[in-house]
Amino acid sequence: MKDQEARQRLSENIEQRQSAIKLFLRQERPRRNRLATTSVVGSALAAGFTAGPAFGGTKFATGIQGALTLEQSSIVWQALCLAAMLMSVVAAVATNLANSHSVAAKVSAAEACNAQLEGLQTALNFGRLPLEDAVQLYQQYTTQVAFVDDAEATKTSGV
């Protein structure tokens, strides 16, 4: 009977840990995607703002000056350079935020751990794994996601 109780407790721990991981993934996947998109779009816009003057030179600047009825073509150069600089800064900040917080690596580790815990839960439910091995695997898997906070999942699930 003790073995069955221990299996049940381990099963509950697995479910709680998976709940915490799923919450983490719901929050971090969109963040990862936003940072990656911001970085790519910012870099592309920075390149785009410099492409016209780089390829068209003074003819490009004069053409834009005429189209916008500006007094000086230098305003075109200044605006494009400022826009390119701002987009470069935005791209650099987004990239560095993603890298400094290891967002992509943490999301990947959480996804892998969640899949491993799912397999462990299945093996545990069908009694295909000795309890000692299951506990060892649980510890091994969960150490990969030590950055996932169980407290948040407990608060939101009401446990």
Side-chain angles (χ1 to χ4, degrees):
M1 193 61 167
K2 280 207 179 265
D3 187 59
Q4 187 58 31
E5 288 175 16
R7 282 182 177 279
Q8 182 60 34
R9 290 202 53 202
L10 180 58
S11 182
E12 290 169 3
N13 285 350
I14 291 170
E15 288 173 10
Q16 288 175 351
R17 195 66 172 148
Q18 282 186 296
S19 177
I21 290 170
K22 288 175 184 174
L23 177 63
F24 172 83
L25 289 172
R26 277 194 303 274
Q27 294 170 346
E28 293 301 313
R29 278 181 180 140
R31 180 174 180 230
R32 174 199 59 190
N33 295 343
R34 277 191 308 274
L35 290 171
T37 300
T38 300
S39 179
V40 169
V41 169
S43 295
L45 287 173
F49 288 136
T50 59
F55 294 117
T58 54
K59 288 182 182 180
F60 173 80
T62 305
I64 298 294
Q65 175 190 3
L68 299 177
T69 61
L70 300 172
E71 292 181 26
Q72 300 174 347
S73 66
S74 64
I75 294 173
V76 174
W77 293 96
Q78 290 171 336
L80 289 173
C81 288
L82 179 63
M85 186 262 320
L86 289 174
M87 290 298 102
S88 291
V89 168
V90 166
V93 168
T95 300
N96 286 320
L97 280 174
N99 290 339
S100 69
H101 295 284
S102 304
V103 177
K106 287 179 179 178
V107 167
S108 294
E111 289 170 336
C113 180
N114 196 43
Q116 290 170 324
L117 289 174
E118 185 69 32
L120 178 60
Q121 182 77 307
T122 301
L124 192 64
N125 287 346
F126 289 106
R128 304 286 300 177
L129 190 63
L131 182 60
E132 296 78 23
D133 292 346
V135 170
Q136 184 178 9
L137 287 172
Y138 174 77
Q139 291 170 337
Q140 179 184 334
Y141 297 158
T142 57
T143 58
Q144 299 169 21
V145 291
F147 52 85
V148 174
D149 187 13
D150 284 336
E152 289 301 316
T154 303
K155 286 180 199 174
T156 58
S157 67
V159 176

